[in-house]
Amino acid sequence: MSQSLAPAPRRPAIVAALCAAALTVIGLTGAAPPAEPALAAAALPYQDPTMPVADRVGDLLSRMSLDDKLGQMTQIEKDSLLPQSDLAAYRIGSVLSGGDSTVSPNNAQTWADTYDSLQRTALGTPLGIPLIYGIDAVHGHNAVRGATIFPHNIGLGATRDPALVQRIGRAVAEEMAGTGIDWDFAPCLCVARDDRWGRTYESFGEKPELPTSMATFVTGLQGATLGADPASVLATAKHYIGDGGTTGGVDQGNTQLTEAELRALHLPPFQEAVRRGVGSVMLSYSSWNGVRSHAHKYLVTDVLKGELGFTGFVVSDWAAVDQLDGQSGFTGAEITTAVNAGVDMVMVPYDYKKFLTLLRGEVSSGRISQARVDDANRRILTKKFQLGLFERPLTERSYTSGVGSAAHRAIAREAVRESQVLLKNDGGILPLPKGAKLFVAGKSADDIGNQSGGWTVGWQGRSGPVTDGTTILQGIRAAANDPSQVTYDRYGNGIGAGYTAAVAVIGETPYAEGRGDRPNGMGLDQEDLSTLARLKASGVPVVVVLVSGRPLDIAAQLPDWKALLAAWLPGTEGNGVSDVLFGDHAPTGKLPMTWMRGASQQPINDGDGQTPLFSYGHGLTYGATPDPDPDPDPDPEPVPGACTAQFRTVASWSGGYQAEVTVKNTGTGPLTGWNVAWDLGGSTVSSLWNGSLTVSAGRATVHNAAHNGALSPGATTSFGFTANGPTGTPATHCAGS
């Protein structure tokens, strides 16, 4: 069936099932499609949408052959399908588009047509099981030219705004739904502990509570209930577990931590994603103390599926199962190791014929049990039913025109301005007057590719006009009273006296995993240094907008700058940067990462005893604006100092446990600080984050950290710890100031 064929309307499962036999003929023989069949009087139980999902899954499993089941455990790259009829012939359950996999022309309509063509082929199998299509929409539907590109996660972490992140998740889901794609390999819930790591920008922050709070993205993608509306998209919590903690920040490296440390630092975001009902979890390429995650039955089956109660399905990362023995090419032993560890679906992604042959051999020999195969299928099919794929197998075209919509770009612009972190502002040079004469320079001032970073219409991203949007320079010119007062030269040539300020937009050029690792220094490149030298020589005050996926080594240059604004990787809405530069919105972002004094400090993290250039949580703002209309009837004097502390055991194991304590300001006035005290009851605290601990006479007291002491009325914050000894729910006492 050609991609140009008009999509069939959404139809109930009964009609879709009746089409399956006809579609088999179409998919395998290329015959002309028959007329739409009439509605049948009855259907098989799994085709009845009024039945409970568990019953539908059980009925379908009872009708599936071994080949049907093995196909459901197989995910392949779209471009590996030669011919497309292999999708039905091999009963493939899932297709993905890798980072550089695209369609031509690259627009939402073509993506939708491609999806529907593949889905029709899948429906052509005797049982009519729909495929599920995955893609890395990690900061917007970023494979699609013209889609809204949001700030990368590091910028969203700087917003400290989980509600905004949930709204972004919903916008991404709607744009994905407009192309038919129903499974997002996001959010990345890694806790990045070493900025040399090339995936640092995919992390919301260096401390577990920040990625944990941003797991709201899961709810944004899936909705409160998976499949409740046609824009519901399956979310993926990745990469389980510890990928942000590898030694030296080496991508796919080895995370060397005790189990207590692993649980304290890297497990909490996944616990929260599971609590929110995340549909899938993707494993990490990395290892924990020398054992790869894809081979770690304890972490995957015992902890994730058992202890955390994860009921979705586990998917491998790209060709990760083929890496287990260190040699190129699948082996039966690798497949058995991964599947028995708990992998439910294998991202092959290319040699699916060999993979399926080996998988079948491992099952036939008994090395992989039929029970394990059925468990994997049950998990996968449950999510397909919950998503509504059996009832709504094709693209919901009402969302197609919304890809890159003004409404979604407005959310992205809001996210950009909330993500800006003002790190230096000598003499209050910012905000800039809109009537100022400005000189703008730097390689990222007028480059949508640079400001979007990796995973933007291509895996590694690239410089240049890769997609539609507003560059930072365009945003500055649009905000200025007179655009002719804004002069631009990328290299800083031609600047002279008479300018109010020189705005240098500099930083990193696009990269993604692997290529993004920076073990040999984290400073500015030679072009940036030369541009800055020209601006400095002019005597014009320099304002730096740093476009980067992580903190950079800029301590030597910082004294030459009047202001420094960390813009991270803002995406397509560069006018969100100018909103802050000109003061339409005061900066509110707070550092999600500790900012090093030099690369030799890496890894540097809050509470490790090193002295940073800028602390975790640091962020300046502009002076308060006087109220132009003072309240003639002021409220009663606020009552400060009232707070509560709620203790929750997050996890426990033999000889220890992990807990979280939520502090809430219950007073009518703001808190400037707080402390929480409780009796340890014989346990000892082994690690603590988001506060400082003192212990005396068997009683623990935690004081707020520098960044979380100020709480407005009704606001909450939290701290967490691991402890050795008995669990319990101790009575806590909270005092505020």
Side-chain angles (χ1 to χ4, degrees), residues 395-407:
T395 303
E396 178 52 71
R397 298 286 174 146
S398 64
Y399 287 104
T400 306
S401 62
V403 175
S405 69

PDB file of all heavy atoms in Angstrom, residues 395-407:
ATOM      1  N   THR A 395      -3.057   7.579  12.240  1.00  0.00           N
ATOM      2  CA  THR A 395      -2.790   8.948  12.686  1.00  0.00           C
ATOM      3  C   THR A 395      -4.073   9.713  12.946  1.00  0.00           C
ATOM      4  O   THR A 395      -5.004   9.681  12.140  1.00  0.00           O
ATOM      5  CB  THR A 395      -1.966   9.696  11.628  1.00  0.00           C
ATOM      6  OG1 THR A 395      -0.760   8.985  11.381  1.00  0.00           O
ATOM      7  CG2 THR A 395      -1.633  11.108  12.086  1.00  0.00           C
ATOM      8  N   GLU A 396      -4.104  10.421  14.057  1.00  0.00           N
ATOM      9  CA  GLU A 396      -5.201  11.350  14.328  1.00  0.00           C
ATOM     10  C   GLU A 396      -4.883  12.659  13.606  1.00  0.00           C
ATOM     11  O   GLU A 396      -4.136  13.499  14.103  1.00  0.00           O
ATOM     12  CB  GLU A 396      -5.337  11.574  15.839  1.00  0.00           C
ATOM     13  CG  GLU A 396      -6.423  12.550  16.233  1.00  0.00           C
ATOM     14  CD  GLU A 396      -7.758  12.215  15.622  1.00  0.00           C
ATOM     15  OE1 GLU A 396      -8.375  11.211  16.037  1.00  0.00           O
ATOM     16  OE2 GLU A 396      -8.180  12.955  14.703  1.00  0.00           O
ATOM     17  N   ARG A 397      -5.430  12.810  12.400  1.00  0.00           N
ATOM     18  CA  ARG A 397      -5.029  13.908  11.512  1.00  0.00           C
ATOM     19  C   ARG A 397      -5.432  15.288  12.019  1.00  0.00           C
ATOM     20  O   ARG A 397      -4.921  16.298  11.538  1.00  0.00           O
ATOM     21  CB  ARG A 397      -5.601  13.670  10.113  1.00  0.00           C
ATOM     22  CG  ARG A 397      -5.088  12.389   9.430  1.00  0.00           C
ATOM     23  CD  ARG A 397      -3.666  12.534   8.947  1.00  0.00           C
ATOM     24  NE  ARG A 397      -3.140  11.269   8.435  1.00  0.00           N
ATOM     25  CZ  ARG A 397      -2.286  11.181   7.419  1.00  0.00           C
ATOM     26  NH1 ARG A 397      -1.863  12.263   6.807  1.00  0.00           N
ATOM     27  NH2 ARG A 397      -1.842   9.996   7.026  1.00  0.00           N
ATOM     28  N   SER A 398      -6.325  15.351  12.984  1.00  0.00           N
ATOM     29  CA  SER A 398      -6.702  16.664  13.512  1.00  0.00           C
ATOM     30  C   SER A 398      -5.533  17.343  14.217  1.00  0.00           C
ATOM     31  O   SER A 398      -5.547  18.562  14.418  1.00  0.00           O
ATOM     32  CB  SER A 398      -7.882  16.526  14.477  1.00  0.00           C
ATOM     33  OG  SER A 398      -7.525  15.757  15.620  1.00  0.00           O
ATOM     34  N   TYR A 399      -4.502  16.568  14.595  1.00  0.00           N
ATOM     35  CA  TYR A 399      -3.328  17.146  15.256  1.00  0.00           C
ATOM     36  C   TYR A 399      -2.207  17.501  14.275  1.00  0.00           C
ATOM     37  O   TYR A 399      -1.249  18.174  14.664  1.00  0.00           O
ATOM     38  CB  TYR A 399      -2.779  16.175  16.305  1.00  0.00           C
ATOM     39  CG  TYR A 399      -3.623  16.054  17.545  1.00  0.00           C
ATOM     40  CD1 TYR A 399      -4.421  14.940  17.755  1.00  0.00           C
ATOM     41  CD2 TYR A 399      -3.631  17.056  18.508  1.00  0.00           C
ATOM     42  CE1 TYR A 399      -5.211  14.816  18.894  1.00  0.00           C
ATOM     43  CE2 TYR A 399      -4.403  16.946  19.654  1.00  0.00           C
ATOM     44  CZ  TYR A 399      -5.197  15.829  19.837  1.00  0.00           C
ATOM     45  OH  TYR A 399      -5.972  15.715  20.963  1.00  0.00           O
ATOM     46  N   THR A 400      -2.320  17.071  13.034  1.00  0.00           N
ATOM     47  CA  THR A 400      -1.197  17.236  12.102  1.00  0.00           C
ATOM     48  C   THR A 400      -0.877  18.697  11.847  1.00  0.00           C
ATOM     49  O   THR A 400       0.299  19.095  11.823  1.00  0.00           O
ATOM     50  CB  THR A 400      -1.493  16.502  10.780  1.00  0.00           C
ATOM     51  OG1 THR A 400      -1.826  15.134  11.066  1.00  0.00           O
ATOM     52  CG2 THR A 400      -0.284  16.530   9.852  1.00  0.00           C
ATOM     53  N   SER A 401      -1.890  19.514  11.680  1.00  0.00           N
ATOM     54  CA  SER A 401      -1.647  20.939  11.398  1.00  0.00           C
ATOM     55  C   SER A 401      -1.105  21.685  12.611  1.00  0.00           C
ATOM     56  O   SER A 401      -0.625  22.812  12.492  1.00  0.00           O
ATOM     57  CB  SER A 401      -2.944  21.605  10.932  1.00  0.00           C
ATOM     58  OG  SER A 401      -3.927  21.541  11.954  1.00  0.00           O
ATOM     59  N   GLY A 402      -1.159  21.052  13.786  1.00  0.00           N
ATOM     60  CA  GLY A 402      -0.660  21.701  15.003  1.00  0.00           C
ATOM     61  C   GLY A 402       0.822  21.523  15.254  1.00  0.00           C
ATOM     62  O   GLY A 402       1.351  22.053  16.240  1.00  0.00           O
ATOM     63  N   VAL A 403       1.510  20.797  14.386  1.00  0.00           N
ATOM     64  CA  VAL A 403       2.957  20.630  14.555  1.00  0.00           C
ATOM     65  C   VAL A 403       3.636  21.972  14.305  1.00  0.00           C
ATOM     66  O   VAL A 403       3.505  22.567  13.238  1.00  0.00           O
ATOM     67  CB  VAL A 403       3.498  19.552  13.602  1.00  0.00           C
ATOM     68  CG1 VAL A 403       5.018  19.476  13.690  1.00  0.00           C
ATOM     69  CG2 VAL A 403       2.875  18.202  13.917  1.00  0.00           C
ATOM     70  N   GLY A 404       4.345  22.476  15.319  1.00  0.00           N
ATOM     71  CA  GLY A 404       4.982  23.786  15.212  1.00  0.00           C
ATOM     72  C   GLY A 404       4.012  24.930  15.365  1.00  0.00           C
ATOM     73  O   GLY A 404       4.301  26.053  14.925  1.00  0.00           O
ATOM     74  N   SER A 405       2.893  24.719  16.021  1.00  0.00           N
ATOM     75  CA  SER A 405       1.847  25.742  16.122  1.00  0.00           C
ATOM     76  C   SER A 405       2.292  26.929  16.965  1.00  0.00           C
ATOM     77  O   SER A 405       3.214  26.832  17.789  1.00  0.00           O
ATOM     78  CB  SER A 405       0.586  25.136  16.735  1.00  0.00           C
ATOM     79  OG  SER A 405       0.795  24.810  18.100  1.00  0.00           O
ATOM     80  N   ALA A 406       1.599  28.037  16.783  1.00  0.00           N
ATOM     81  CA  ALA A 406       1.889  29.246  17.561  1.00  0.00           C
ATOM     82  C   ALA A 406       1.692  28.992  19.051  1.00  0.00           C
ATOM     83  O   ALA A 406       2.448  29.509  19.888  1.00  0.00           O
ATOM     84  CB  ALA A 406       1.003  30.398  17.085  1.00  0.00           C
ATOM     85  N   ALA A 407       0.682  28.205  19.402  1.00  0.00           N
ATOM     86  CA  ALA A 407       0.423  27.923  20.812  1.00  0.00           C
ATOM     87  C   ALA A 407       1.580  27.147  21.446  1.00  0.00           C
ATOM     88  O   ALA A 407       1.997  27.443  22.576  1.00  0.00           O
ATOM     89  CB  ALA A 407      -0.879  27.131  20.950  1.00  0.00           C
TER      90      ALA A 407
END
